[in-house]
Amino acid sequence: MEELSNEKILIGKLIDELKRKVLDILNIQDISLSDIDNNAPLVGNELGIDSIDILELVTVIEKDYGVRIDNKELGQKVFASFASLAQYIYDNRTLI
């Protein structure tokens, strides 16, 4: 059995935390965290996330983690999936 690194464990927890925030923002209550694919595209997925929701997420991420996503090119890369978003926050957060 492969032992998970501390970074992978923390990123896994961050992915679940981000999923909860997205479900709260979208006011979705009938989907469990395990039903959401960590690597599926964030925009245009089954959750119905659109550009307005992404703007709200950018605000939440800056407030909660101290991470700025301040240009379109970076945003497209970071918001590619929950996994990419969590990795970016993990690598760049200033708030614990």
Side-chain angles (χ1 to χ4, degrees), residues 1-91:
M1 185 170 160
E2 184 178 323
E3 189 173 316
L4 290 175
S5 71
N6 193 36
E7 179 180 337
K8 286 184 180 180
I9 292 169
L10 292 173
I11 289 175
K13 289 180 180 180
L14 187 55
I15 288 172
D16 284 346
E17 189 175 298
L18 291 166
K19 288 177 180 178
R20 277 190 212 94
K21 290 179 188 294
V22 167
L23 292 177
D24 286 345
I25 288 170
L26 299 173
N27 196 25
I28 296 175
Q29 300 171 353
D30 58 345
I31 295 178
S32 71
L33 300 182
S34 61
D35 291 339
I36 304 169
D37 183 350
N38 294 345
N39 296 301
L42 266 176
V43 177
N45 66 13
E46 72 272 3
L47 297 176
I49 298 173
D50 62 20
S51 58
I52 302 298
D53 300 319
I54 293 294
L55 290 175
E56 189 168 347
L57 266 173
V58 166
T59 303
V60 167
I61 289 165
E62 185 171 343
K63 184 183 95 185
D64 291 356
Y65 305 104
V67 174
R68 294 192 68 171
I69 302 168
D70 56 3
N71 68 67
K72 184 177 179 179
E73 291 77 24
L74 178 60
Q76 288 176 336
K77 178 181 171 187
V78 170
F79 287 105
S81 67
F82 279 104
S84 63
L85 178 58
Q87 184 68 54
Y88 184 77
I89 291 171
Y90 180 83
D91 291 341

